[in-house]
Amino acid sequence: MGQRPEVPLFGLARLLEVIEEFESRKGRDPYTRELLGYLRMWGYGEDLLLLAWDLGLVERYDDYCDPRTQRICRFNRVSKRGHEFLRHYRALMRLLGRSDGD
């Protein structure tokens, strides 16, 4: 039986939260270079992004980076499944953070 690779839940959650935060601040989705710059994790961040895409947590699409230029960028947004993942992840973190012995 093959062993499944470890999924970095914290890293995926952080990636999705950065995308949400960027969209709420800038009013648009981040393109990949911007997103990796915000994460400050180029190699690992790109691996996380590709994993999130493979898992269906992120949708990627191509569009003009700037309406005034002809340069095309790959933009990233949190998918419906990604929002669901974040909701459950946050609930789990709240549950694990409880110190009342329940």
Side-chain angles (χ1 to χ4, degrees):
M1 212 164 30
Q3 196 173 9
R4 297 183 74 183
E6 186 178 317
V7 176
L9 296 180
F10 175 79
L12 288 172
R14 181 164 180 259
L15 171 82
L16 298 176
E17 287 172 340
V18 166
I19 294 172
E20 282 186 336
E21 183 179 323
F22 185 97
E23 194 278 328
S24 98
R25 286 185 179 189
K26 305 277 185 171
R28 65 172 176 81
D29 300 317
Y31 53 83
T32 301
R33 185 177 297 260
E34 287 176 319
L35 177 58
L36 295 176
Y38 272 83
L39 287 170
R40 295 186 185 112
M41 301 184 298
W42 288 88
Y44 180 65
E46 192 168 17
D47 290 344
L48 270 178
L49 181 57
L50 292 175
L51 176 61
W53 185 54
D54 286 343
L55 293 172
L57 304 176
V58 170
E59 297 172 348
R60 303 181 82 193
Y61 62 95
D62 294 336
D63 201 354
Y64 291 107
C65 303
D66 183 333
R68 300 167 295 192
T69 69
Q70 294 298 314
R71 193 171 125 223
I72 302 288
C73 289
R74 180 150 294 158
F75 289 83
N76 306 276
R77 69 175 152 236
V78 179
S79 68
K80 182 178 179 182
R81 187 175 191 178
H83 286 292
E84 186 176 340
F85 169 85
L86 274 178
R87 185 171 53 83
H88 290 294
Y89 179 82
R90 289 171 179 151
L92 177 62
M93 291 298 105
R94 281 191 304 275
L95 180 66
L96 293 175
R98 295 178 88 180
S99 60
D100 57 11
D102 287 15

